[in-house]
Every structure is written in structure tokens, then in C-alpha cells.
Amino acid sequence: MNTYYFTLDLIQEAGRLLEVKKQQNFCVSCKNGNPKDILTSLDVELGEFITNKILAQYPDHSIHNEEAVEIAGNGYQWAIDPIDGTASFARGIPQYAISIGLLKDGMPILGAVLDPCTNELFSFRKGEGAWMNGEMLQPSAITDLKSSYVLFAAGRKDSQCEWAGESYKSLLTSVSKIKTFGSSALWLCYVAAGRVDGVVAGTFSSLDIAAAVGILNEVGGVVCDREGHPLEISNKSQRVYVANNQAMAGELIKLLESS
Ligand code: IPD
Ligand code: CA
Ligand code: CA
């Protein structure tokens, strides 16, 4: 079976399952007792569902599922975030996504992000394009902060509070609109779709949502660290800058990393 279409079918099946299951009772808890890190029983259930389907089709592949231990395999690695935006999901806020990406030797080669609340399905195949429900994605061409919409998420680390407060203040006087909502996978898809022009995130783990990184990179968008270097896909939680283009990434870094 074609792996891209396998991924699209799987994520849509997972989306239907999640939307049915959320009508029933599910448990909400915290990871490691941290009230800033919410987990539901459906994160675990959906992660297992997706993993089992992948392994039935590709038994030799490696699996990274945010909510389970790593499964080692060959140079192909699936990166699964069963619910990206659990905190919103747990409280009935329709701002979450499912993310499934496939990496070869650490580079995203195809993947999909589904917003089950709007049925927007974002996807890409490396070197071929990125789409939303079949329509080619295109970031905005905006390069100046004054006209830009920027998504800002302070993140979970207390150590970043000061930077986050100062940054928010700087953005207020520099950009057109500051937005925020609960799924980092969708943030990147929104940049790819031209809905926002940049994202500043205090804590960001790229491996879980490698599909979204692949989608944005495919249409020329930028995902970089605070020094402006392209972000390596990893499990590390770090401050990142995401933008429609290199110029916008540079402007954001200049504004928020100079003090
Ligand atoms: C979180 C969401 C959230 C972002 C956090 C992520 P999770 O993922 O993407 O928008 O601010 O940094 O950890 O925990 O819901 O999969
Ligand atoms: Ca998650
Ligand atoms: Ca996540």
C-alpha cells in the first residue's frame, strides 16, 4: 500500500474514533504530578490504536509515540502525537490535533495533521508538496512585523517567565495581532496555510509533531532555534521561532532575543 495514503486513511480513522470516544467518560490526570502537563486516558488509547495499525502494516519500522516507550526498528521512524493540545481537549476546547509523521534517518518524509473538530487535514510528501484537504498550502508573503499575526506561547518552564513577559510586551507594540491556542502542530500548519505569519514558543518538542515541521518546511517555512539555526528534529523541549519565511524569522529573533 502507498504509505502516504495509508497515513491519510489512518489519521482519519483515528480522528473518527477520538470524536466518538470523547462523548464517553475518559480520565484526566497529570504527568509526573505536574498540573501544567495534562494527560487523558484517550491520549494513551489513541496512541496504542495508531501504533498497532502501523506495526501491522510496517512491522520493521521504529515508533515514537509521545505517550509510550520507544519501539526500536529500522531507519524508518513513525512520530505520533495522538492528541496535540491535550489541555484544551480535556476541557472541551476544540483546539487539538492528531499528528502522524514518518521520518527516514531522522528527516520527515511524509505526514499528516488532522484537526478533528474542523476536519481540516494537512499533509505533505517531501519534494512533492503540502496540502490542506487537497489544496496546495502557501504561507503568507509578509516580511514586516507591523503587518504580521504572530502566535505566542510562553510554554511550561517557570525559568522562562521573565523572557515570556518581556517578549509579550515587545510583541504588543511591534506586530499587528498576537494569537494563541492549544496545538503546536496546528500552529505550524496555520503558518503553512498563511493564516498566521510566525510563532514564538517557549517550550517546543519537534519530534512529537514532526509531521507539522515537514509540512511547513515543504512550503518554504522556517522552524529554527533562538540563534536562527534550522531546528533538528528531537525530543528536546526548547524555545523556537517559526515563520512564513527567513526574513520574518530574523525579525522575530532580533526583537525577542536582543535584550
Ligand atoms: C502541547 C501543545 C501545546 C504546547 C505545548 C505542547 P501536548 O502538546 O502542543 O500547544 O504549548 O508545549 O507540549 O502535550 O498537548 O501533546
Ligand atoms: Ca500529546
Ligand atoms: Ca504535543
Side-chain angles (χ1 to χ4, degrees), residues 31 38-39 43 66-67 80-86 97 208-209:
K31 280 193 218 172
I38 311 283
L39 181 71
D43 291 73
E66 194 196 355
E67 307 306 345
I80 304 163
D81 196 339
I83 305 178
D84 181 59
T86 299
D208 300 340
I209 56 153

Side-chain angles (χ1 to χ4, degrees), residues 44-63:
V44 177
E45 206 177 310
L46 203 67
E48 278 170 8
F49 172 81
I50 296 168
T51 299
N52 291 340
K53 290 273 180 179
I54 291 173
L55 287 179
Q57 192 73 25
Y58 304 102
D60 299 336
H61 287 189
S62 313
I63 307 273

Side-chain angles (χ1 to χ4, degrees), residues 38-239:
I38 311 283
L39 181 71
T40 76
S41 51
L42 292 183
D43 291 73
V44 177
E45 206 177 310
L46 203 67
E48 278 170 8
F49 172 81
I50 296 168
T51 299
N52 291 340
K53 290 273 180 179
I54 291 173
L55 287 179
Q57 192 73 25
Y58 304 102
D60 299 336
H61 287 189
S62 313
I63 307 273
H64 166 83
N65 163 13
E66 194 196 355
E67 307 306 345
V69 291
E70 303 289 319
I71 299 175
N74 64 19
Y76 287 97
Q77 182 190 35
W78 292 84
I80 304 163
D81 196 339
I83 305 178
D84 181 59
T86 299
S88 298
F89 175 81
R91 300 285 287 262
I93 301 170
Q95 293 176 0
Y96 55 89
I98 302 170
S99 176
I100 305 177
L102 177 61
L103 297 91
K104 173 134 199 295
D105 302 325
M107 297 297 291
I109 54 169
L110 61 84
V113 174
L114 175 70
D115 179 338
C117 301
T118 60
N119 277 323
E120 288 182 329
L121 175 60
F122 300 86
S123 65
F124 85 105
R125 272 192 289 195
K126 194 167 171 48
E128 292 179 43
W131 306 270
M132 195 263 284
N133 294 349
E135 295 276 316
M136 194 77 90
L137 289 167
Q138 180 156 32
S140 75
I142 288 173
T143 52
D144 64 310
L145 287 179
K146 260 198 333 296
S147 322
S148 68
Y149 283 22
V150 172
L151 267 156
F152 182 77
R156 294 179 181 145
K157 290 183 189 157
D158 290 348
S159 58
Q160 300 220 88
C161 283
E162 207 176 311
W163 165 82
E166 289 303 316
S167 295
Y168 198 84
K169 227 159 56 182
S170 300
L171 287 169
L172 278 174
T173 51
S174 305
V175 305
S176 167
K177 300 283 171 205
I178 305 176
K179 301 280 174 195
T180 191
F181 71 92
S183 157
S184 49
L186 287 178
W187 300 339
L188 272 58
C189 294
Y190 278 25
V191 177
R195 293 173 178 174
V196 296
D197 312 303
V199 178
V200 180
T203 54
F204 184 96
S205 305
S206 54
L207 181 55
D208 300 340
I209 56 153
V213 177
I215 287 167
L216 183 57
N217 284 337
E218 187 63 28
V219 294
V222 177
V223 185
C224 57
D225 65 19
R226 54 208 277 195
E227 267 126 36
H229 302 134
L231 199 73
E232 275 186 28
I233 302 287
S234 87
N235 234 342
K236 189 168 139 196
S237 173
Q238 60 189 308
R239 194 185 298 171

